[in-house]
Amino acid sequence: MRFLRTWRPIDGTLLGLLLLLALIAAREVWVSSFQLAWRDEEQSHILIAAPIALWLLWIRRQRLMSLAPSWSPLGAVTIALAWLLGEYGLQTARDVYWHLSALLLVWGAFLTVMGPRLMLRFLVPLGATLALLPIPGFIRLQIAEPLQNISATCTQYLLDIAGVPVARSGNLLLINGQRVAIAEACNGMRMVAALGLVAYAFAFSIPVKPAVRALILLMSPLLAVLVNILRLMPTVLFYGYTNDGVAKVFHDLSGWAMMALALGMLWAFMRLLRWMELPVLSYGAMRE
């Protein structure tokens, strides 16, 4: 209970009230975002963004013992800018500004009560909340197309090595007389966004040196491509040799299983670095 010494009851009450008002004011945005995440697996990273942000906040909770909140007018400025940005997004039909305004309202609530100094100590959890924003369509297209090409080429190559006859035409695989479009099976967007968030949580949940954290974050896209190909190979086999219903069930369930596999790979990578006796740990990292 030591952390309560730096917080007055009015601080917690005001913060809770402002957060409630921020969520109510942007309720249409949040409902729209979570409905999109539920329907579209390429936006499913939104579903795990809040739990990861709360986890990163929880493991840094002792920082609250050393810094007291300091009310700041910058919070009101942020809230005003969020409102203007939301109106601009509505007037121009640009959803990215509409969604960003909802997040800025929440940030403004925290900034009002906590002040900039305390907010700076929690940049890592705040960074995770950016994953609450849907990925804009033009960015998704730029990432999805090369992922489809890579996934189709590698899947055909690996299945050929395994002795499974597969023909490829662009992003379309032909197996056992069945056509399987990589975009239909899984193009990897879900892996890139969700695994990037998982790698972010992993990197900032353990006391490691900044260079190791940067390496984990940089390798997350490559790891996403790898686990997506591992998922895609049996998925294509299911589409080719079973019915679409069975293949779709496997496709949906295997997506989350790949998250666990990728997390295991990250742990194995850390064990490898320690086995090589490389300096990876930094016991002051979690107090930065």
Side-chain angles (χ1 to χ4, degrees):
M1 301 298 293
R2 291 175 55 193
F3 66 91
L4 292 178
R5 296 176 183 175
T6 61
W7 284 77
R8 298 169 299 175
I10 191 173
D11 296 324
T13 301
L14 179 60
L15 179 58
L17 178 61
L18 289 177
L19 285 175
L20 179 61
L21 292 175
L23 294 175
I24 291 176
R27 60 188 181 279
E28 293 183 5
V29 182
W30 295 117
V31 170
S32 173
S33 295
F34 281 97
Q35 286 179 343
L36 177 63
W38 190 259
R39 295 192 310 265
D40 186 356
E41 72 167 17
E42 292 185 0
Q43 302 286 5
S44 60
H45 61 278
I46 296 173
L47 299 176
I48 61 174
I52 285 179
L54 290 173
W55 162 251
L56 292 172
L57 179 64
W58 171 256
I59 62 178
R60 289 164 174 78
R61 64 191 181 279
Q62 291 190 357
R63 295 182 181 184
L64 293 173
M65 295 190 301
S66 60
L67 289 175
S70 176
W71 295 9
S72 173
L74 292 177
V77 174
T78 302
I79 292 173
L81 290 175
W83 179 80
L84 292 174
L85 188 63
E87 287 298 311
Y88 177 75
L90 289 174
Q91 294 296 327
T92 59
R94 297 182 179 179
D95 289 346
V96 61
Y97 298 118
W98 189 50
H99 291 120
L100 182 58
S101 69
L103 184 59
L104 286 178
L105 283 176
V106 174
W107 287 4
F110 278 108
L111 185 57
T112 298
V113 177
M114 298 173 65
R117 185 185 178 194
L118 191 55
M119 285 280 287
L120 287 174
R121 300 297 298 270
F122 291 93
L123 284 180
V124 170
L126 287 175
T129 62
L130 289 172
L132 288 168
L133 304 176
I135 300 175
F138 70 94
I139 295 180
R140 292 169 61 189
L141 291 176
Q142 291 179 355
I143 297 176
E145 185 174 352
L147 282 178
Q148 289 172 359
N149 293 331
I150 294 172
S151 298
T153 302
C154 293
T155 300
Q156 181 200 21
Y157 179 74
L158 293 174
L159 288 177
D160 282 342
I161 291 178
V164 180
V166 179
R168 181 174 67 89
S169 176
N171 296 329
L172 188 68
L173 298 179
L174 182 63
I175 177 171
N176 193 34
Q178 300 294 323
R179 295 181 178 182
V180 182
I182 295 303
E184 176 187 349
C186 48
N187 61 18
M189 267 301 301
R190 174 183 177 179
M191 295 293 104
V192 171
L195 185 54
L197 187 56
V198 169
Y200 182 88
F202 180 85
F204 288 99
S205 294
I206 55 178
V208 295
K209 294 181 178 298
V212 177
R213 282 180 175 167
L215 182 59
I216 292 174
L217 295 177
L218 289 174
M219 67 182 291
S220 65
L222 297 177
L223 187 57
V225 172
L226 174 60
V227 297
N228 184 64
I229 293 173
L230 293 177
R231 175 198 187 193
L232 185 55
M233 290 175 61
T235 299
V236 171
L237 291 174
F238 270 101
Y239 273 104
Y241 293 98
T242 65
N243 59 64
D244 288 351
V246 174
K248 189 178 186 305
V249 170
F250 174 82
H251 164 254
D252 293 340
L253 296 178
S254 63
W256 294 109
M258 291 300 102
M259 292 295 100
L261 175 62
L263 188 59
M265 290 181 176
L266 290 174
W267 275 113
F269 173 71
M270 292 300 301
R271 293 294 297 270
L272 175 63
L273 292 181
R274 297 184 66 180
W275 178 77
M276 296 172 65
E277 299 184 352
L278 295 176
V280 298
L281 297 181
S282 175
Y283 293 102
M286 300 307 295
R287 299 189 297 271
E288 293 173 355

